[in-house]
Amino acid sequence: AWIFSSSAIIAVNFFTHSFFPGTSKKVLIAPIVLISVYLIIIILAPFSYSFNGTDWSPDHEASTNFILWILFLIPLWIVVLLFLYLSIQLKRRGVSTWRRLFWIFASQFLLSFSFTVEILNPSAFTALIASLGINIELLLTEALWSTGSRFGMMIYPILMWIGVFTPDWAKGKLGVSS
Protein backbone atom coordinates (compact mmCIF):
# COMPACT_ATOMS: atom_id res chain seq x y z
CA ALA A 1 0.00 0.00 0.00
CA TRP A 2 2.84 2.38 0.83
CA ILE A 3 4.54 1.79 -2.51
CA PHE A 4 1.34 2.07 -4.55
CA SER A 5 0.20 5.23 -2.72
CA SER A 6 3.60 6.78 -3.28
CA SER A 7 3.60 5.78 -6.94
CA ALA A 8 0.18 7.39 -7.36
CA ILE A 9 1.47 10.67 -5.94
CA ILE A 10 4.44 10.61 -8.30
CA ALA A 11 2.10 9.86 -11.23
CA VAL A 12 -0.24 12.74 -10.37
CA ASN A 13 2.77 15.06 -10.13
CA PHE A 14 3.73 14.01 -13.66
CA PHE A 15 0.11 14.58 -14.76
CA THR A 16 0.09 18.06 -13.24
CA HIS A 17 3.42 18.84 -14.84
CA SER A 18 1.90 18.12 -18.26
CA PHE A 19 -0.17 21.32 -17.86
CA PHE A 20 3.07 23.35 -17.76
CA PRO A 21 4.45 22.74 -21.27
CA GLY A 22 7.39 25.15 -21.04
CA THR A 23 8.80 24.02 -17.71
CA SER A 24 11.68 21.71 -17.07
CA LYS A 25 11.19 18.18 -15.81
CA LYS A 26 13.63 19.14 -13.04
CA VAL A 27 10.61 20.50 -11.15
CA LEU A 28 9.56 16.88 -10.59
CA ILE A 29 12.76 16.06 -8.71
CA ALA A 30 11.48 17.53 -5.42
CA PRO A 31 8.31 15.39 -5.13
CA ILE A 32 10.19 12.30 -6.32
CA VAL A 33 12.92 12.81 -3.72
CA LEU A 34 10.41 13.49 -0.93
CA ILE A 35 8.38 10.38 -1.76
CA SER A 36 11.55 8.26 -2.15
CA VAL A 37 12.80 9.34 1.28
CA TYR A 38 9.29 8.67 2.65
CA LEU A 39 9.39 5.11 1.29
CA ILE A 40 12.89 4.45 2.64
CA ILE A 41 11.94 5.67 6.12
CA ILE A 42 8.53 4.00 6.30
CA ILE A 43 9.95 0.65 5.16
CA LEU A 44 13.20 0.68 7.15
CA ALA A 45 12.21 2.53 10.34
CA PRO A 46 11.41 0.23 13.25
CA PHE A 47 7.71 -0.24 13.92
CA SER A 48 5.38 -2.50 15.82
CA TYR A 49 1.91 -3.69 15.00
CA SER A 50 -0.99 -2.57 17.13
CA PHE A 51 -4.61 -3.62 17.07
CA ASN A 52 -6.93 -0.62 16.85
CA GLY A 53 -10.22 -2.42 17.30
CA THR A 54 -10.88 -3.46 13.71
CA ASP A 55 -7.50 -4.22 12.17
CA TRP A 56 -3.77 -4.28 12.73
CA SER A 57 -1.75 -1.19 11.91
CA PRO A 58 1.98 -0.55 11.86
CA ASP A 59 2.97 2.03 14.46
CA HIS A 60 6.12 4.09 14.20
CA GLU A 61 7.45 6.45 16.85
CA ALA A 62 5.68 9.83 16.99
CA SER A 63 8.73 11.70 15.63
CA THR A 64 9.02 9.25 12.74
CA ASN A 65 5.31 9.62 11.97
CA PHE A 66 5.64 13.42 11.91
CA ILE A 67 8.54 13.22 9.42
CA LEU A 68 6.62 10.70 7.31
CA TRP A 69 3.54 12.93 7.23
CA ILE A 70 5.55 15.89 5.98
CA LEU A 71 7.38 13.85 3.35
CA PHE A 72 4.10 12.40 2.07
CA LEU A 73 1.74 15.36 2.39
CA ILE A 74 3.91 18.01 0.72
CA PRO A 75 3.97 16.28 -2.70
CA LEU A 76 0.28 15.41 -2.30
CA TRP A 77 -0.79 19.01 -1.66
CA ILE A 78 1.62 20.57 -4.18
CA VAL A 79 -0.58 19.05 -6.89
CA VAL A 80 -3.65 20.78 -5.46
CA LEU A 81 -1.88 24.13 -5.29
CA LEU A 82 -0.63 23.81 -8.87
CA PHE A 83 -4.13 23.10 -10.20
CA LEU A 84 -5.47 26.08 -8.25
CA TYR A 85 -2.69 28.27 -9.64
CA LEU A 86 -3.42 27.10 -13.19
CA SER A 87 -7.15 27.75 -12.77
CA ILE A 88 -6.53 31.28 -11.53
CA GLN A 89 -4.09 32.02 -14.35
CA LEU A 90 -6.53 30.81 -17.01
CA LYS A 91 -9.38 32.83 -15.47
CA ARG A 92 -7.21 35.98 -15.47
CA ARG A 93 -6.45 35.44 -19.16
CA GLY A 94 -10.14 35.01 -19.91
CA VAL A 95 -9.75 31.43 -21.12
CA SER A 96 -13.09 29.65 -20.72
CA THR A 97 -11.53 26.29 -19.87
CA TRP A 98 -10.48 27.66 -16.48
CA ARG A 99 -13.68 26.05 -15.16
CA ARG A 100 -12.54 22.66 -16.38
CA LEU A 101 -9.21 23.04 -14.63
CA PHE A 102 -10.98 24.34 -11.53
CA TRP A 103 -13.10 21.16 -11.58
CA ILE A 104 -9.90 19.10 -11.74
CA PHE A 105 -8.51 21.21 -8.86
CA ALA A 106 -11.66 20.58 -6.78
CA SER A 107 -11.47 16.86 -7.56
CA GLN A 108 -7.81 16.73 -6.57
CA PHE A 109 -8.54 18.75 -3.42
CA LEU A 110 -11.18 16.19 -2.44
CA LEU A 111 -8.75 13.31 -2.97
CA SER A 112 -5.90 15.04 -1.16
CA PHE A 113 -8.14 15.91 1.78
CA SER A 114 -9.48 12.35 1.89
CA PHE A 115 -5.98 10.93 1.71
CA THR A 116 -4.83 13.30 4.45
CA VAL A 117 -7.62 12.08 6.73
CA GLU A 118 -6.52 8.49 6.07
CA ILE A 119 -2.83 9.25 6.64
CA LEU A 120 -3.27 11.34 9.80
CA ASN A 121 -6.13 9.18 11.09
CA PRO A 122 -9.67 10.46 11.77
CA SER A 123 -8.85 10.73 15.49
CA ALA A 124 -6.36 13.51 14.69
CA PHE A 125 -9.16 15.56 13.14
CA THR A 126 -11.63 14.96 15.96
CA ALA A 127 -8.93 15.86 18.50
CA LEU A 128 -8.12 19.07 16.60
CA ILE A 129 -11.79 20.08 16.47
CA ALA A 130 -12.23 19.32 20.17
CA SER A 131 -9.09 21.33 21.03
CA LEU A 132 -10.49 24.32 19.13
CA GLY A 133 -13.53 24.22 21.41
CA ILE A 134 -15.90 23.28 18.60
CA ASN A 135 -18.47 21.08 20.25
CA ILE A 136 -20.46 19.86 17.25
CA GLU A 137 -20.98 16.18 17.94
CA LEU A 138 -21.16 15.26 14.25
CA LEU A 139 -17.68 16.70 13.62
CA LEU A 140 -16.34 14.82 16.65
CA THR A 141 -17.35 11.45 15.21
CA GLU A 142 -14.41 9.47 13.85
CA ALA A 143 -16.73 7.27 11.79
CA LEU A 144 -17.95 10.34 9.89
CA TRP A 145 -14.38 11.37 9.04
CA SER A 146 -13.47 7.85 8.01
CA THR A 147 -16.59 7.33 5.90
CA GLY A 148 -16.26 10.79 4.35
CA SER A 149 -12.64 10.25 3.38
CA ARG A 150 -13.37 6.89 1.82
CA PHE A 151 -16.33 8.32 -0.07
CA GLY A 152 -14.05 11.08 -1.35
CA MET A 153 -11.56 8.51 -2.61
CA MET A 154 -14.37 6.52 -4.19
CA ILE A 155 -15.94 9.47 -6.04
CA TYR A 156 -12.61 10.98 -7.17
CA PRO A 157 -12.21 8.87 -10.34
CA ILE A 158 -15.68 9.86 -11.53
CA LEU A 159 -15.01 13.56 -10.90
CA MET A 160 -11.66 13.37 -12.68
CA TRP A 161 -13.24 11.53 -15.60
CA ILE A 162 -15.70 14.42 -15.95
CA GLY A 163 -12.83 16.94 -15.82
CA VAL A 164 -10.43 15.15 -18.16
CA PHE A 165 -12.75 13.56 -20.71
CA THR A 166 -15.65 16.03 -20.23
CA PRO A 167 -18.83 14.31 -21.40
CA ASP A 168 -21.20 16.27 -23.64
CA TRP A 169 -23.60 17.15 -20.82
CA ALA A 170 -20.78 18.87 -18.88
CA LYS A 171 -18.98 20.66 -21.73
CA GLY A 172 -21.01 23.88 -21.54
CA LYS A 173 -20.72 24.04 -17.75
CA LEU A 174 -16.95 23.50 -17.81
CA GLY A 175 -16.23 25.85 -20.71
CA VAL A 176 -15.23 23.18 -23.19
CA SER A 177 -16.27 23.62 -26.81
CA SER A 178 -18.04 20.72 -28.49
Side-chain angles (χ1 to χ4, degrees), residues 25-156:
K25 295 248 188 257
K26 291 178 186 176
V27 175
L28 293 169
I29 292 173
I32 291 171
V33 168
L34 290 172
I35 290 295
S36 298
V37 172
Y38 165 82
L39 280 172
I40 290 167
I41 292 173
I42 201 163
I43 291 170
L44 298 179
F47 63 89
S48 60
Y49 284 102
S50 65
F51 188 71
N52 68 5
T54 57
D55 61 358
W56 290 89
S57 298
D59 280 337
H60 291 88
E61 292 181 15
S63 59
T64 304
N65 276 336
F66 182 73
I67 292 167
L68 291 171
W69 293 341
I70 289 175
L71 292 170
F72 192 80
L73 295 175
I74 288 174
L76 178 66
W77 283 94
I78 282 175
V79 172
V80 174
L81 295 174
L82 289 174
F83 278 129
L84 178 61
Y85 171 77
L86 285 167
S87 299
I88 292 169
Q89 290 302 317
L90 289 177
K91 180 161 176 52
R92 284 184 180 163
R93 292 183 193 151
V95 179
S96 65
T97 57
W98 74 269
R99 287 179 268 160
R100 181 180 187 192
L101 214 49
F102 187 80
W103 181 273
I104 292 172
F105 152 75
S107 303
Q108 188 62 44
F109 178 88
L110 177 66
L111 179 68
S112 294
F113 184 78
S114 299
F115 226 43
T116 300
V117 170
E118 287 293 319
I119 297 299
L120 298 182
N121 204 344
S123 61
F125 287 87
T126 57
L128 174 66
I129 290 170
S131 72
L132 294 173
I134 300 171
N135 197 14
I136 300 172
E137 190 171 332
L138 190 61
L139 293 178
L140 297 172
T141 307
E142 288 182 26
L144 174 74
W145 287 96
S146 183
T147 303
S149 72
R150 291 179 183 163
F151 179 77
M153 285 188 255
M154 180 188 75
I155 196 81
Y156 170 77

